[in-house]
Amino acid sequence: MAEGIIFSIEEFATKDGPGLRTSVFFKGCPLRCQWCHNPEGLSPRPQIIKNYNLCIGCKACEEVCQHPDNCIACGDCVRVCPRNLIRISGQRIDAASLAEKVKEHADILQKTGGGVTLTGGEVLMQGEFLLECLDMLLPLHRAIETSGYGDPSLFKKVMDNTDFIFLDIKMMDADKHKAYTGVSNEKILKNAEQLKYGDTDFVVRIPLICGVNNDIENLTKTAQFLQDAKNLLYVELLPYNLAAGSKYKLLDLKYEYSFQKPGDKELENARIIFESYGIKCKIA
């Protein structure tokens, strides 16, 4: 039985696929997108999250810590915090236990035409666990949200065992993609090609960021790449989240970037580009 690490389960979600859904967040991501607003999904290991804004400085957590230079998320500090400001992000769970937990609400999920969405982090980082979850979550409608950064043979297996895929495509230029996300987009585009000619319904999501990927050239190349996809339902534009850096302090991390959110005119222009290639486009 495969075991994985997740960091959140959100019930009755409405934006992660059709109907009401349970969204399960896998921990760990190989990308380091400069605009990431979910930093607790980056590390593949459980880690400590602390609300420093409300901390009274009693140092009880420091007194019990046995690994001050290399936190192992043992939980000692969680237990002694007098204001309950510390928690562990990330829990180990096997596929059967996760499926059992999700299926507690199976009736209502199915009645609304919903199901379960496995997201992250990056689900492809935990391939064996992901495939077991997809199998055990039947007969629920199963969706995944992915950057597409994973081995193409694994991606094909996932495609064949899921009902719906959200695929992020950040940008088409390989050099810019590596500069802003830390990885090449070669695997991502190979997997997008599989989706284009496969039988799985999918949506492409594009985080739209001023000065990064909202230029006409990038949007046109993306539309041209997608125009012959047979099961693409629509492209969804996700304007940059101005609160992207708000969680980093909780993890003792710094958010060092400053991006701008595209305005209504820029979003509308982007939508027009996709629709000019016969692709339905939505703005989140």
PDB file of all heavy atoms in Angstrom, residues 212-224:
ATOM      1  N   VAL A 212       5.595  39.178 -17.121  1.00  0.00           N
ATOM      2  CA  VAL A 212       6.129  37.819 -17.106  1.00  0.00           C
ATOM      3  C   VAL A 212       5.601  37.019 -18.298  1.00  0.00           C
ATOM      4  O   VAL A 212       6.370  36.521 -19.126  1.00  0.00           O
ATOM      5  CB  VAL A 212       5.783  37.092 -15.788  1.00  0.00           C
ATOM      6  CG1 VAL A 212       6.257  35.636 -15.826  1.00  0.00           C
ATOM      7  CG2 VAL A 212       6.415  37.809 -14.610  1.00  0.00           C
ATOM      8  N   ASN A 213       4.274  36.909 -18.389  1.00  0.00           N
ATOM      9  CA  ASN A 213       3.708  36.063 -19.445  1.00  0.00           C
ATOM     10  C   ASN A 213       2.443  36.638 -20.074  1.00  0.00           C
ATOM     11  O   ASN A 213       1.700  35.916 -20.737  1.00  0.00           O
ATOM     12  CB  ASN A 213       3.415  34.660 -18.896  1.00  0.00           C
ATOM     13  CG  ASN A 213       2.341  34.666 -17.806  1.00  0.00           C
ATOM     14  OD1 ASN A 213       1.975  35.722 -17.284  1.00  0.00           O
ATOM     15  ND2 ASN A 213       1.854  33.499 -17.463  1.00  0.00           N
ATOM     16  N   ASN A 214       2.170  37.923 -19.856  1.00  0.00           N
ATOM     17  CA  ASN A 214       0.938  38.508 -20.406  1.00  0.00           C
ATOM     18  C   ASN A 214       1.164  39.194 -21.747  1.00  0.00           C
ATOM     19  O   ASN A 214       0.279  39.891 -22.244  1.00  0.00           O
ATOM     20  CB  ASN A 214       0.331  39.503 -19.410  1.00  0.00           C
ATOM     21  CG  ASN A 214       1.175  40.754 -19.233  1.00  0.00           C
ATOM     22  OD1 ASN A 214       2.405  40.681 -19.261  1.00  0.00           O
ATOM     23  ND2 ASN A 214       0.526  41.894 -19.051  1.00  0.00           N
ATOM     24  N   ASP A 215       2.343  39.010 -22.342  1.00  0.00           N
ATOM     25  CA  ASP A 215       2.622  39.643 -23.626  1.00  0.00           C
ATOM     26  C   ASP A 215       1.903  38.917 -24.764  1.00  0.00           C
ATOM     27  O   ASP A 215       1.602  37.724 -24.674  1.00  0.00           O
ATOM     28  CB  ASP A 215       4.133  39.657 -23.886  1.00  0.00           C
ATOM     29  CG  ASP A 215       4.753  38.272 -23.787  1.00  0.00           C
ATOM     30  OD1 ASP A 215       4.931  37.783 -22.654  1.00  0.00           O
ATOM     31  OD2 ASP A 215       5.038  37.671 -24.829  1.00  0.00           O
ATOM     32  N   ILE A 216       1.656  39.626 -25.835  1.00  0.00           N
ATOM     33  CA  ILE A 216       0.912  39.092 -26.974  1.00  0.00           C
ATOM     34  C   ILE A 216       1.610  37.874 -27.563  1.00  0.00           C
ATOM     35  O   ILE A 216       0.961  36.879 -27.927  1.00  0.00           O
ATOM     36  CB  ILE A 216       0.722  40.183 -28.047  1.00  0.00           C
ATOM     37  CG1 ILE A 216      -0.212  41.284 -27.516  1.00  0.00           C
ATOM     38  CG2 ILE A 216       0.158  39.589 -29.337  1.00  0.00           C
ATOM     39  CD1 ILE A 216      -0.355  42.464 -28.455  1.00  0.00           C
ATOM     40  N   GLU A 217       2.938  37.917 -27.644  1.00  0.00           N
ATOM     41  CA  GLU A 217       3.676  36.801 -28.252  1.00  0.00           C
ATOM     42  C   GLU A 217       3.453  35.501 -27.483  1.00  0.00           C
ATOM     43  O   GLU A 217       3.160  34.455 -28.075  1.00  0.00           O
ATOM     44  CB  GLU A 217       5.169  37.116 -28.298  1.00  0.00           C
ATOM     45  CG  GLU A 217       5.998  35.998 -28.919  1.00  0.00           C
ATOM     46  CD  GLU A 217       7.488  36.288 -28.926  1.00  0.00           C
ATOM     47  OE1 GLU A 217       7.877  37.326 -28.355  1.00  0.00           O
ATOM     48  OE2 GLU A 217       8.247  35.481 -29.481  1.00  0.00           O
ATOM     49  N   ASN A 218       3.576  35.552 -26.162  1.00  0.00           N
ATOM     50  CA  ASN A 218       3.399  34.340 -25.368  1.00  0.00           C
ATOM     51  C   ASN A 218       1.970  33.819 -25.449  1.00  0.00           C
ATOM     52  O   ASN A 218       1.742  32.617 -25.617  1.00  0.00           O
ATOM     53  CB  ASN A 218       3.758  34.597 -23.903  1.00  0.00           C
ATOM     54  CG  ASN A 218       3.530  33.372 -23.037  1.00  0.00           C
ATOM     55  OD1 ASN A 218       4.150  32.332 -23.233  1.00  0.00           O
ATOM     56  ND2 ASN A 218       2.607  33.483 -22.100  1.00  0.00           N
ATOM     57  N   LEU A 219       0.990  34.704 -25.334  1.00  0.00           N
ATOM     58  CA  LEU A 219      -0.400  34.279 -25.365  1.00  0.00           C
ATOM     59  C   LEU A 219      -0.770  33.716 -26.730  1.00  0.00           C
ATOM     60  O   LEU A 219      -1.512  32.729 -26.828  1.00  0.00           O
ATOM     61  CB  LEU A 219      -1.313  35.451 -24.998  1.00  0.00           C
ATOM     62  CG  LEU A 219      -1.147  35.973 -23.556  1.00  0.00           C
ATOM     63  CD1 LEU A 219      -1.936  37.258 -23.357  1.00  0.00           C
ATOM     64  CD2 LEU A 219      -1.568  34.920 -22.535  1.00  0.00           C
ATOM     65  N   THR A 220      -0.257  34.316 -27.782  1.00  0.00           N
ATOM     66  CA  THR A 220      -0.536  33.816 -29.132  1.00  0.00           C
ATOM     67  C   THR A 220       0.083  32.434 -29.337  1.00  0.00           C
ATOM     68  O   THR A 220      -0.560  31.523 -29.881  1.00  0.00           O
ATOM     69  CB  THR A 220       0.003  34.799 -30.189  1.00  0.00           C
ATOM     70  OG1 THR A 220      -0.635  36.061 -30.016  1.00  0.00           O
ATOM     71  CG2 THR A 220      -0.270  34.284 -31.604  1.00  0.00           C
ATOM     72  N   LYS A 221       1.330  32.250 -28.900  1.00  0.00           N
ATOM     73  CA  LYS A 221       1.979  30.946 -29.036  1.00  0.00           C
ATOM     74  C   LYS A 221       1.243  29.877 -28.226  1.00  0.00           C
ATOM     75  O   LYS A 221       1.125  28.720 -28.659  1.00  0.00           O
ATOM     76  CB  LYS A 221       3.437  31.033 -28.593  1.00  0.00           C
ATOM     77  CG  LYS A 221       4.349  31.729 -29.586  1.00  0.00           C
ATOM     78  CD  LYS A 221       5.798  31.714 -29.114  1.00  0.00           C
ATOM     79  CE  LYS A 221       6.719  32.339 -30.154  1.00  0.00           C
ATOM     80  NZ  LYS A 221       8.145  32.342 -29.721  1.00  0.00           N
ATOM     81  N   THR A 222       0.736  30.260 -27.063  1.00  0.00           N
ATOM     82  CA  THR A 222      -0.021  29.305 -26.241  1.00  0.00           C
ATOM     83  C   THR A 222      -1.313  28.916 -26.950  1.00  0.00           C
ATOM     84  O   THR A 222      -1.681  27.736 -26.997  1.00  0.00           O
ATOM     85  CB  THR A 222      -0.333  29.902 -24.859  1.00  0.00           C
ATOM     86  OG1 THR A 222       0.869  30.374 -24.249  1.00  0.00           O
ATOM     87  CG2 THR A 222      -0.964  28.858 -23.960  1.00  0.00           C
ATOM     88  N   ALA A 223      -2.009  29.897 -27.514  1.00  0.00           N
ATOM     89  CA  ALA A 223      -3.248  29.614 -28.241  1.00  0.00           C
ATOM     90  C   ALA A 223      -2.984  28.741 -29.454  1.00  0.00           C
ATOM     91  O   ALA A 223      -3.747  27.795 -29.734  1.00  0.00           O
ATOM     92  CB  ALA A 223      -3.912  30.926 -28.651  1.00  0.00           C
ATOM     93  N   GLN A 224      -1.928  29.023 -30.178  1.00  0.00           N
ATOM     94  CA  GLN A 224      -1.582  28.214 -31.350  1.00  0.00           C
ATOM     95  C   GLN A 224      -1.264  26.779 -30.952  1.00  0.00           C
ATOM     96  O   GLN A 224      -1.634  25.830 -31.645  1.00  0.00           O
ATOM     97  CB  GLN A 224      -0.394  28.838 -32.085  1.00  0.00           C
ATOM     98  CG  GLN A 224      -0.723  30.159 -32.766  1.00  0.00           C
ATOM     99  CD  GLN A 224       0.510  30.870 -33.299  1.00  0.00           C
ATOM    100  OE1 GLN A 224       1.631  30.605 -32.873  1.00  0.00           O
ATOM    101  NE2 GLN A 224       0.298  31.802 -34.226  1.00  0.00           N
TER     102      GLN A 224
END
